[in-house]
Amino acid sequence: MRFHLSEEQIAIQDAVRGTLADCWPMERLHKFADSGDDFDPDSWAALMGLGLGGILLPDSGMGLLDAALVSEVAGEMAAPGPLIAQLLAVAAVARSGSEAARAHLDGLVAGTTIAALALGDSQFVQSARAAQVLLVGDRDGGIALVEAGEGVTIEPVQPTDRSRPVSRVSFAGAIRHELFSAGDPLAASLCDAALVLIAADALGGALHCTDISVAYAKEREQFGQPSGRFQALKHQLAHMALDAEPARALVWYAAYAWDAGLPDAARAAAMAKAHLCDVYVRSTRAAVAAHGGIGYTWEYGLNYWFRRAVLNRAWLGSPAEHRVRAAVMAGW
Amino acid sequence: MRFHLSEEQIAIQDAVRGTLADCWPMERLHKFADSGDDFDPDSWAALMGLGLGGILLPDSGMGLLDAALVSEVAGEMAAPGPLIAQLLAVAAVARSGSEAARAHLDGLVAGTTIAALALGDSQFVQSARAAQVLLVGDRDGGIALVEAGEGVTIEPVQPTDRSRPVSRVSFAGAIRHELFSAGDPLAASLCDAALVLIAADALGGALHCTDISVAYAKEREQFGQPSGRFQALKHQLAHMALDAEPARALVWYAAYAWDAGLPDAARAAAMAKAHLCDVYVRSTRAAVAAHGGIGYTWEYGLNYWFRRAVLNRAWLGSPAEHRVRAAVMAGW
Amino acid sequence: MDLSYGAEAEAFREDVRSFLAAAWQPGERRKADLKDYIRAFRRQAVEAGYLYRSVPKRYGGAEQPVDVIRAQVIREEFARARAPMEVGGNGVNMTVPTLLEKGTDEQRELFIRKTIEGEYVWGQGYSEPGSGSDLASVRTKGELSPDGTRWIVNGQKIWTSQGMQSTHMFMLVRTEPDAPKHDGITYLLIDLDQPGVTRRPIRQMTGEEGDHTFCEFFFDNAESPVSWQVGTRGQGWQVSRTTLKHERAAIGSADGLGNQFRKLVDLAKEVGRIGDPLVRDELARIEGFVLSHRYTSFRLFSCSAAGEDPGRVALMMKLYLTEIGHEMALLAQELVGEHAFVEPAGAGGRGPRGPRGPEKWLDQIMGSLGNSIAGGASNIQRNIIGERGLGLPRDLALELEAGGGRA
Amino acid sequence: MDLSYGAEAEAFREDVRSFLAAAWQPGERRKADLKDYIRAFRRQAVEAGYLYRSVPKRYGGAEQPVDVIRAQVIREEFARARAPMEVGGNGVNMTVPTLLEKGTDEQRELFIRKTIEGEYVWGQGYSEPGSGSDLASVRTKGELSPDGTRWIVNGQKIWTSQGMQSTHMFMLVRTEPDAPKHDGITYLLIDLDQPGVTRRPIRQMTGEEGDHTFCEFFFDNAESPVSWQVGTRGQGWQVSRTTLKHERAAIGSADGLGNQFRKLVDLAKEVGRIGDPLVRDELARIEGFVLSHRYTSFRLFSCSAAGEDPGRVALMMKLYLTEIGHEMALLAQELVGEHAFVEPAGAGGRGPRGPRGPEKWLDQIMGSLGNSIAGGASNIQRNIIGERGLGLPRDLALELEAGGGRA
């Protein structure tokens, strides 16, 4: 029986947190957000230097839970992409029988070959311009690896999420390697893993919003008192924590169920995605309100998390869509 | 332009309030609640003595707005029934061509003939055992006046709402006078009026819950201070007021629209019923929480309003059902 | 992560099963016969080390090392066999730990064995009319008898659960009226079977007023020996803090919430609303909280088993449970619709409950409000999360009033 | 009740219509030409008694008796004809009433006419970095020049709307640093076109940072004549209370909310979700609040027309509006879905807006948060409702800190 983090897992999170604190401070994020780029080579190299690329290799000794812990810290620090795509691409390619795709595996694990994610019906892809391969969900439910280049059309847009900019992408006639055909349980399972990683990013973001709001309430004086002394704000902050902190175990469980191949893994992924993305939206709104004017400025940076919450919520299906799936899977 | 109460209207409310304060104090309500009766002759005589029975006579010089103002005070004081039934029965009989029904009109206006309400699909009727006539909605949409007695089966139940006890009623083979046939706009309009009167009762109840909670917070000391000084409770009370007070104008408008025959009268009635019944449920819950332990005791009496909120919410259709109707009427 | 209990625990589980297969065979026994059988069974279970594990053997316990996994296995296996666990209630959950920590040897000898054997039933005497969450605003007076051997108690206590069954009470009384608020309180044990004590059941808003409801107690020159005072005179507030902590740990079993959620789904089916998109969405939305609560209870359990501090989340479970209960109540109210016009049979504990339809949810709809009130009102829980969990400064009024005395 | 305006008002409406038919014929005029035409039109409208009705004629106003029905008819008819109303902004809404109530004749002569003619644009100088809702925590310093003729101002102001256009500012400066917090503040007018004043637009979370956004102002030995001080030295807090009241009355037009709700319904249609039961339910649920807000604004208007006090509901409109905005934002976010991945064109005021799809709701989704912050944060609004509306006692910390000085 073990349902809390090990020292190793906490160490991994600390390593990712420390790395991002160094290479991804707010000044860097501000600069990136206004640059029009969709990829940040320095922070990517630093993260990949930690060996994160291979977490979801079948023989890594780690699993989706570890990947989710990393995604959580990425969410906390508003890290640029395409981390989730990379983790999933490695998982997919390593588990597929496609030799052509497997030729990319070493590069993907090392992070020298960059992967983007185009699962679901979305036309929007993060870090699309930087990616050499795209993990693409077919309309029929199969999954393929598409080579960037000819046949892949990328139209940049002004992205809402400035830390993980998207482009509008289409794939007519691109080179593609089928990884899993329609109906292959691995295809569905990879989509579930994506949901868990998004939920983990949302968790990290929500906790970050709570923590900076609490810190601000301790430091800022209003009417001669730290504003966090006032019961109204104190209770609002307590509710932010109450919303996010217990939901942490929901993400853990979803990841654990995926790793252990439990029968409720798919449903747990749907519940985690739906619940955490709602939590994240509430947390970012509450954080702006808790900060007052400064939270509404661009300079303070809270808006990056707000914008990530907007993206996470709609990415790969809204909370309501996943609740419909969860209801069906429960046999209601 | 006039969209606030006249002195006369305020005087009517004060008269009803004063009468109920005299004849319907908490001791009386407690006694009635445990008596198993479904009608209280003394308070009924006192209310009817004010001439309320005739408010919805076509030539009364008053209208649904005035009836709603009375219903609001009845809700505020948790008055026993069947006030809404009586008001509507007078409105219905006076507007119908049925001579047999009109023979009851004087008694109904005076309150000596007691009316119960069986509109909608409900099998539950308030004050059914006391009623001499029942205003019955036919399955096809018509409205009839049914004579109590043979063919009317009344099965008493333990009612949730102790101030307006219901029985289970069926009408196979009773004497009935058709008032409005299916498709008669007056039939639909009477149902709308019922919704507005229920919304008004809910408004009165919600405001009462707010007011007693505020009063209690001023009087009760916690940690050496009136509990209402603490910001958390203060803001919870502010939200109770915020929920109920602006909704008052929604009830006014729905009643006014009915009186003036405006095209949105039916939709306004549906919106008012849905909105106020939700407000009432929230207000009663918030009131119990604001009081703490004493609010949870039977003796304090708050539970009578809680129970009225339960009944009002489900009576003649839930908020969700009326929102569906409102959506259809809006052409969405 | 690993939700299995491990080989050692599974071997232990086999032991428990073997024990139960042999020792728990109530057969067709009824009434007094069954009561005797249960008493004997519990003694065997204590000897086997399964019940009252934290109570020393000399007071009738099993005196086992703390092992939350074993404790969980025992709970599961006893539940599966439908075998009786500890007698439970305030006595075992609050009096016994308090006496073990703060009592005298004489008090332990006197009370612990009889409490865990169910002979003594304890009521809690903290709340007073109007005190609400401000438990330190004790007004019930304790005065020494002229000869200094007895406390003379006058006042009123309220919201005592199991009040009609209680034989004894642990209570807070104000013994130094001139001391600062938190310093003038003494923690006292008292025998409720004496002329100076009157008890009255409280009728609740649900109508409930039976043998298992709350009571209020009136003390009119009631007496208790000075030797029944726990801890130092005037330091009763600190003594009571121990027990409140225990109470918090006892509330919030994740299974209860999960069961209630499943019943809510069944209700939606029963009333034919399970296909309604609004109902499905709301059920799944609520389930997000229910599952978060459930898996967090795993997390707390796991930390507890490993002897690690779970951090601030442990402070949140009570309020989280309360708020989920509210959400479920609102959906239940939507689902029961007109069924709620009829009060469920047996409400108020008057007569047998009998078969009950959807209207039985009325109890939960009202009862969910009781949760906000019992065991520390929700606003106090929010203060606890904000102050102890997030480290925010204390409310000024509380700080000024407490003068630093309150934990 | 009667929502018609009555025969007298309808006759007045005819007058307004005739006036507009004659006086407002902008035709194809553009740019400077149109500007001149508008200026001339406004003069005519003032002469006819339609604009600046509460401003005395000697300062360029119409000097009409208060008549909210007439004012409403004027608004409706000007809107229907798309004719320009008063120039608006802080100058007309705050500076002019303040000067009329508390200013000197010299100040009125100097500022009112130029303000209502749009020549002077006023920024508000209340908020400072970190002051939040605690507007009395003014740190910007005002010191008299050695010869006693000028105030020397040093400090920073923030959240000044129309800051890039502002020619002048009304501001609070701390002139008696040793006086109690609320007693050491002076209300000052200042010319912003001087070397000691630097302004910088604030980029908001929406990305907006154009000509119409908020600014922060830095004062580095900026100067203002002592004769531009409004009210007594050290009594500026009381002077500013007048204007805040005006600001509250100006916010919360019911039509704006209704229009936005209709657009939300249109959005549901545009994205093909209007048939979704969840969306229909949520729209109708929100509309219950929207209509309550709308009809309450009728109620307030009606009370105002009759000169009667509407009571506590008047204090609730700002917070009610804010909370409805939040609800609408959450539904909008559900409806826009992936459209929200793209920032609406023209956000940040960079370049033309052009045609915009559902993503334009991103502005509202973020903007609804701005409402909770602007014009008094929501928690302050809740205090106002609780204390002034419900008569609950003041928060202890505020009471201790204010020492009774704050209105």
Side-chain angles (χ1 to χ4, degrees), chain B residues 34 122 124 158-160 162 220 222-223 230 236 281 285 292-293 296-298 303 306-307 310-311 313-314, chain C residues 130-132 134 159 203-206 326 334 338 340-343 365-370 373 379 398 401:
Chain B
D34 284 335
S122 178
F124 295 105
Q158 176 68 282
T160 295
R162 297 295 183 91
R220 181 200 199 192
Q222 291 262 282
F223 306 105
F230 291 98
Q236 285 155 357
V281 167
R285 295 188 75 87
Y296 204 72
T297 62
W298 184 276
N303 81 92
F306 191 97
R307 290 157 177 270
V310 168
L311 187 131
R313 187 186 189 284
Chain C
S131 72
D134 185 8
W159 298 115
R203 190 171 174 192
Q204 298 177 59
M205 68 180 290
T206 51
H326 277 273
E334 164 68 21
E338 285 206 352
F341 286 6
V342 179
E343 195 165 85
I365 290 165
M366 293 197 190
S368 63
L369 284 162
I373 295 162
N379 281 344
L398 291 176
E401 189 253 7

Side-chain angles (χ1 to χ4, degrees), chain D residues 153-173:
Chain D
V153 177
N154 282 284
Q156 189 183 349
K157 294 290 180 181
I158 197 170
W159 298 115
T160 303
S161 56
Q162 279 195 298
M164 295 307 284
Q165 289 78 45
S166 295
T167 58
H168 294 73
M169 177 179 277
F170 52 93
M171 68 192 302
L172 295 176
V173 293

Side-chain angles (χ1 to χ4, degrees), chain A residues 34 122 124 158-160 162 220 222-223 230 236 281 285 292-293 296-298 303 306-307 310-311 313-314, chain D residues 130-132 134 159 203-206 326 334 338 340-343 362 365-370 379 398 401:
Chain A
D34 283 335
S122 179
F124 295 106
Q158 176 69 284
T160 295
R162 297 295 183 92
R220 180 202 201 190
Q222 290 260 284
F223 306 106
F230 291 98
Q236 285 154 357
V281 167
R285 295 187 76 86
Y296 204 72
T297 63
W298 184 276
N303 82 93
F306 190 97
R307 289 157 177 268
V310 168
L311 188 130
R313 187 186 189 284
Chain D
S131 72
D134 185 9
W159 298 115
R203 189 172 174 191
Q204 299 178 59
M205 68 180 290
T206 50
H326 277 273
E334 165 68 22
E338 285 205 351
F341 286 4
V342 179
E343 195 165 84
L362 197 69
I365 290 165
M366 294 197 191
S368 63
L369 284 161
N379 281 345
L398 292 176
E401 189 252 7

